[in-house]
Amino acid sequence: MRKKELLIQQQNEIIEEHGLIYLENVSKSYSTGSPAVNNMSLNIHRGEFVFIVGDSGSGKSTLIKLLLRELTATSGRVWVMGRDLAKLKHREIPKYRRNLGVVFQDFRLLNDRNVYENVAFAQRIIEVSPGEIRRNVPTILATVGLAGKYKAKTRQLSGGEQQRVALARALVNNPAILLADEPTGNLDPKNSWEIMKLLEEINAAGTTVVVVTHNKEIVNAMQKRVVTMRKGVIISDEEEGTYIDED
Ligand code: ADP
Ligand code: MG
């Protein structure tokens, strides 16, 4: 018990000092080519909203995968929620990932299930009680504007609606951090804005939000922190930043 308390205290100290997400000189190389992430250092504090931008191939998705612990760093260290991800044991990874909600460009829904089931599923795998699931799922679906669509099969929904389902699924377990890798990549401008506005609301309610995007117009309008990557390196990191064009 005392050992566990000490560990939590250490984690809280790292969070206080360095942020909820903390990379120190992190590189990630695949078997071929130059490093996808190259000696990157980054601190993201609790409650921040951060855009990650940069040309295709600049290492943005690799960064997201490092945070999800789908990949491990070739060198340097990654701490998330005060935990050194290199020290996570395999059996600890599912529990670690409960701290994170994730949304992707291609939604990744269970297309043979309805909206309700897609969201409830995320709660069942962490063994939330049936009664709580029946309370939580409608609440989160209302938050993303999908009250009344519970029974629709996800493949019958528009892209914007599908991304809302994905967002509800990412949020239903109340993660500390939401990671979104090009969440509006398959959406028209109107739906892109609606998703970004939802991400902003989620952030305002306390969740730390990291959004990889190519949407220049939205980045420039929202006046958030903007981290620009090029060839695995951060070339710019600005509060209330703008989208930096490469050419
Ligand atoms: P972005 O998301 O910014 O487009 P990625 O992180 O996907 O960039 O890719 C960064 C670099 O790493 C690219 O050069 C890409 O080709 C390479 N890369 C990504 N995934 C792999 C992989 N699984 N195996 C080998 N190279 C990869
Ligand atoms: Mg990518």
Side-chain angles (χ1 to χ4, degrees):
M1 195 58 200
R2 286 204 57 78
K3 196 178 161 195
K4 194 174 174 188
E5 281 166 17
L6 195 67
L7 203 67
I8 289 169
Q9 193 189 327
Q10 283 171 351
Q11 289 172 354
N12 285 336
E13 281 170 12
I14 292 169
I15 293 169
E16 284 299 310
E17 195 171 344
H18 300 286
L20 220 44
I21 294 173
Y22 170 33
L23 279 77
E24 189 184 52
N25 304 118
V26 172
S27 295
K28 174 64 195 178
S29 298
Y30 296 103
S31 50
T32 55
S34 44
V37 168
N38 195 349
N39 200 29
M40 182 169 175
S41 295
L42 178 68
N43 307 71
I44 296 177
H45 291 272
R46 201 190 288 283
E48 280 199 273
F49 187 117
V50 184
F51 282 123
I52 310 281
V53 308
D55 275 2
S56 174
S58 57
K60 306 179 301 295
S61 292
T62 300
L63 168 64
I64 296 293
K65 287 173 186 166
L66 287 166
L67 299 176
L68 288 169
R69 187 53 161 80
E70 282 180 25
L71 297 172
T72 50
T74 310
S75 63
R77 289 165 86 180
V78 181
W79 286 266
V80 178
M81 315 271 305
R83 295 174 181 78
D84 181 343
L85 298 193
K87 290 185 179 160
L88 273 186
K89 296 187 180 74
H90 253 282
R91 60 178 164 77
E92 294 171 328
I93 292 174
K95 193 167 174 212
Y96 159 70
R97 288 190 183 140
R98 288 181 200 174
N99 298 298
L100 311 174
V102 206
V103 179
F104 300 97
Q105 178 171 2
D106 56 357
F107 320 136
R108 303 193 191 180
L109 300 171
L110 303 167
N111 287 320
D112 56 335
R113 310 277 181 93
N114 67 27
V115 168
Y116 183 94
E117 282 300 318
N118 266 272
V119 180
F121 181 74
Q123 295 244 280
R124 290 204 191 97
I125 51 179
I126 66 164
E127 296 177 357
V128 176
S129 73
E132 268 186 79
I133 294 175
R134 281 195 293 273
R135 279 194 296 278
N136 293 341
V137 175
T139 304
I140 199 76
L141 285 173
T143 305
V144 301
L146 283 178
K149 290 268 180 183
Y150 301 176
K151 289 186 177 164
K153 287 278 200 305
T154 57
R155 68 177 120 79
Q156 296 163 340
L157 302 176
S158 71
E161 288 169 334
Q162 289 188 52
Q163 195 60 298
R164 287 161 193 273
V165 178
L167 203 48
R169 179 183 59 185
L171 293 170
V172 71
N173 295 340
N174 203 13
I177 301 170
L178 182 75
L179 304 173
D181 193 350
E182 306 207 22
T184 65
N186 285 336
L187 304 181
D188 61 26
K190 179 168 171 282
N191 278 299
S192 296
W193 264 113
E194 287 175 6
I195 291 292
M196 287 294 189
K197 285 287 160 198
L198 272 173
L199 294 176
E200 194 173 36
E201 282 172 29
I202 289 153
N203 175 245
T207 308
T208 303
V209 175
V210 179
V211 187
V212 171
T213 187
H214 280 119
N215 199 315
K216 181 177 172 178
E217 194 189 315
I218 289 179
V219 169
N220 288 343
M222 281 178 71
Q223 304 201 316
K224 304 293 187 187
R225 179 176 171 192
V226 181
V227 172
T228 306
M229 293 180 67
R230 180 195 284 165
K231 294 180 182 166
V233 174
I234 294 177
I235 59 160
S236 156
D237 182 350
E238 296 197 24
E239 298 298 329
E240 299 185 29
T242 54
Y243 198 106
I244 298 171
D245 269 318
E246 295 283 316
D247 30 50

